[in-house]
């Protein structure tokens, strides 16, 4: 075909230039792992149910006055074990306190301890995981054996011993003690997950290229390896948050967790246990809220983990 024929063929019936469709040159932009995960999460009903529950629980912890105007410390023995009414949706406990108000305000201590303990575990697990995964050799062997030793200690027994020691001060509410106890004992799984992710990431081509350009160990770990290894680590911390909330309630139930004038679901369950045959509501409702909170965080972590796992796609 000559050049003239080519020009004519490119023109329409009226001699006009036939333009290519605008969308012909557009290519689908490559999506990141987070983008693919978000697409999967938007289609996951369990994720939305768990996310809504988490938002409600966090709102209860931050702004309890939005859910009740009653004072949880306003107690009167004349109302002992009174049934539910318009002013007290869940009735009154053995001290004449509003069970609904105590349940709402109990979310604050549980969420506070759970979040702080999870952050502490995350920091420890991040340091150990990065060090063992990146340096390897004798550093990996030494720190991995230390992780195994911590894992070999029974969690509940160690938590009871450590929390009892840290809560010896009678004037303390126990928040710091329980936070330190759960944070120090609960970081091992996060460290192992981070270690495996770092080992997988440090052998990638982009890390080798950065090393050839002169990047030091600190820059390689913080700027190149960590951003590509953090997804599974965050998922583990999300699940750990629910476990820490349950552990705080367990320690408070045993009388070695939060104490004093602290309001906690574990304390409420412990106090209502002796009167369950007379009035079961003070025991049932804190237990329901505690179970829903733990389940919500675990469901949220499971949904995010499945979304970030390429093998499940």
């Amino acid at each position: 075909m000559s050049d003239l024929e080519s020009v004519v063929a490119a023109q329409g019936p009226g001699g006009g230039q036939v333009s290519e469709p605008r969308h012909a040159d557009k290519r689908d932009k490559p999506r990141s792992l987070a983008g693919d995960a978000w697409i999967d999460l938007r289609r996951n009903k369990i994720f939305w149910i768990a996310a809504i529950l988490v938002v409600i629980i966090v709102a209860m912890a931050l702004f309890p006055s939005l859910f009740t105007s009653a004072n949880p410390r306003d107690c009167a023995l004349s109302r002992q074990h009174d049934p539910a009414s318009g002013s007290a949706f869940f009735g009154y406990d053995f001290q004449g306190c509003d069970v609904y108000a105590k349940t709402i305000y109990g979310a604050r201590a549980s969420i506070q301890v759970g979040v702080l303990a999870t952050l502490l575990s995350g920091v420890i697990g991040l340091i150990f995981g990065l060090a063992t995964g990146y340096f390897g050799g004798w550093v990996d062997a030494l720190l991995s054996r230390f992780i195994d030793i911590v894992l070999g200690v029974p969690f509940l027994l160690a938590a009871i011993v450590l929390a009892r020691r840290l809560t010896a001060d009678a004037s303390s509410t126990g928040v710091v003690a329980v936070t330190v106890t759960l944070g120090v004992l609960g970081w091992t799984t996060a460290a192992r997950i981070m270690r495996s992710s770092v080992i997988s990431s440090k052998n990638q081509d982009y890390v080798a290229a950065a090393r050839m350009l002169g990047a030091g160990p600190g820059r390689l770990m913080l700027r190149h390896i960590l951003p590509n290894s953090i997804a599974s680590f965050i998922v583990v911390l999300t699940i750990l948050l629910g476990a820490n909330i349950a552990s705080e309630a367990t320690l408070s139930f045993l009388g070695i967790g939060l104490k004093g004038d602290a309001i906690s679901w574990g304390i409420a369950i412990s106090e209502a246990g002796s009167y369950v045959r007379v009035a079961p509501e003070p025991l049932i409702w804190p237990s329901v809220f505690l179970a829903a909170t733990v389940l919500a965080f675990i469901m949220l972590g499971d949904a995010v983990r499945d979304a970030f796992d390429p093998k499940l796609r």
Side-chain angles (χ1 to χ4, degrees):
M1 182 181 292
S2 64
D3 295 340
L4 179 60
E5 292 174 339
S6 300
V7 173
V8 174
Q11 295 179 350
Q17 185 74 22
V18 179
S19 61
E20 292 286 340
R22 291 186 176 181
H23 58 80
D25 293 335
K26 291 185 177 180
R27 299 178 180 178
D28 294 336
K29 295 182 179 180
R31 293 193 302 266
S32 63
L33 178 61
D36 290 336
W38 173 240
I39 292 176
D40 292 340
L41 287 175
R42 287 188 301 180
R43 302 170 182 170
N44 193 339
K45 296 180 180 178
I46 295 179
F47 166 75
W48 287 112
I49 294 174
I52 292 173
L53 286 175
V54 169
V55 170
I56 294 174
I57 293 165
V58 172
M60 286 170 47
L62 295 177
F63 311 104
S65 59
L66 295 178
F67 297 85
T68 179
S69 58
N71 186 354
R73 294 184 173 86
D74 181 17
C75 307
L77 291 177
S78 59
R79 301 178 303 203
Q80 184 181 41
H81 294 153
D82 283 355
S85 62
S87 57
F89 299 138
F90 298 162
Y92 295 91
D93 61 8
F94 73 104
Q95 292 180 330
C97 304
D98 190 339
V99 176
Y100 175 73
K102 290 184 67 174
T103 302
I104 296 296
Y105 277 85
R108 172 172 293 180
S110 298
I111 296 296
Q112 180 184 7
V113 171
V115 171
L116 294 178
T118 303
L119 291 177
L120 179 57
S121 296
V123 171
I124 299 175
L126 184 65
I127 294 173
F128 273 78
L130 278 174
T132 55
Y134 180 81
F135 293 106
W138 67 269
V139 176
D140 184 17
L142 179 62
L143 296 181
S144 295
R145 298 295 77 77
F146 179 73
I147 294 175
D148 293 338
I149 293 174
V150 177
L151 278 173
V153 178
F155 176 80
L156 184 59
L157 178 60
I160 291 175
V161 174
L162 185 58
R164 187 182 295 277
R165 177 63 179 172
L166 294 177
T167 56
D169 187 4
S171 62
S172 173
T173 59
V175 173
V176 176
V178 177
T179 299
V180 173
T181 298
L182 299 180
V184 168
L185 297 176
W187 56 271
T188 51
T189 302
R192 282 189 162 188
I193 295 297
M194 176 55 69
R195 174 183 176 272
S196 61
S197 299
V198 170
I199 291 176
S200 177
S201 298
K202 75 174 184 178
N203 296 321
Q204 300 299 322
D205 294 337
Y206 60 85
V207 177
R211 186 181 291 111
M212 292 177 62
L213 292 174
R219 184 178 180 84
L220 286 174
M221 285 190 290
L222 299 179
R223 295 293 299 274
H224 301 282
I225 296 177
L226 181 59
N228 294 280
S229 308
I230 200 68
S232 57
F233 181 75
I234 294 177
V235 172
V236 172
L237 292 185
T238 305
I239 300 176
L240 180 62
L241 176 56
N244 283 335
I245 293 174
S247 300
E248 178 275 321
T250 301
L251 294 177
S252 299
F253 176 82
L254 295 175
I256 55 177
L258 303 186
K259 59 182 182 179
D261 59 348
I263 300 176
S264 168
W265 289 331
I267 296 176
I269 294 172
S270 176
E271 293 176 346
S274 303
Y275 306 92
V276 62
R277 294 184 178 181
V278 179
E281 291 84 1
L283 174 65
I284 292 175
W285 288 114
S287 303
V288 169
F289 275 71
L290 174 62
T293 302
V294 175
L295 182 62
F297 281 104
I298 293 178
M299 289 170 53
L300 183 64
D302 286 340
V304 176
R305 179 195 60 194
D306 295 343
F308 275 96
D309 191 353
K311 297 179 182 179
L312 299 178
R313 296 201 184 98

